[in-house]
Amino acid sequence: MINAARNAGGSIGISIASNVLAHREQFHQSRLVESVIPSSAQYQDTLQQVTSYFLGHGSSLLQAQQQAIQWIGQQVQTQASFLAYMDTFGVLALISLAAVPLALALRKVKLGGPAPVGH
């Protein structure tokens, strides 16, 4: 009975964490993409620096520009994933904190007493 409850609880917990992770990653990615504006000076500086990096490693100009754009996209994805994991751990911490009063409310078992007999 305890194993079944533990397995069910673990499955539900993993499902909740996966769901929160997926939704928060989408949310953070959409927020981060809003700040990546190709016409901004920061974007152009970063694009130029990363393009220069790839040019220095033997890529052609067109390949270096494409690699730089892909690198910026990967950085946005990485940051969105990081923020989503932080949110997911926050939700799991809140659930754990909410379970503490429940655990404290469980009745205490006297050790060494007679075993309960169920009918």
Side-chain angles (χ1 to χ4, degrees):
M1 192 79 146
I2 291 175
N3 275 343
R6 185 174 43 209
N7 287 340
S11 297
I12 291 170
I14 290 170
S15 297
I16 290 171
S18 296
N19 192 12
V20 169
L21 183 65
H23 284 92
R24 296 305 293 178
E25 190 168 351
Q26 289 174 354
F27 169 77
H28 286 298
Q29 186 172 6
S30 67
R31 291 293 177 189
L32 290 171
V33 167
E34 290 174 359
S35 64
V36 179
I37 302 168
S39 61
S40 73
Q42 289 177 330
Y43 181 86
Q44 291 299 321
D45 288 343
T46 302
L47 185 64
Q48 182 180 358
Q49 289 175 358
V50 177
T51 301
S52 297
Y53 172 80
F54 286 120
L55 279 172
H57 283 81
S59 296
S60 69
L61 179 61
L62 182 60
Q63 285 177 329
Q65 287 175 339
Q66 290 174 348
Q67 288 172 326
I69 291 170
Q70 289 174 353
W71 182 84
I72 291 171
Q74 287 175 341
Q75 293 305 307
V76 169
Q77 180 63 37
T78 300
Q79 290 296 316
S81 295
F82 175 72
L83 293 170
Y85 274 101
M86 286 178 46
D87 292 346
T88 302
F89 282 117
V91 168
L92 293 174
L94 289 176
I95 291 171
S96 297
L97 285 175
V100 168
L102 178 65
L104 293 174
L106 294 175
R107 66 184 176 122
K108 295 181 181 181
V109 176
K110 292 182 182 180
L111 296 177
V117 178
H119 295 298

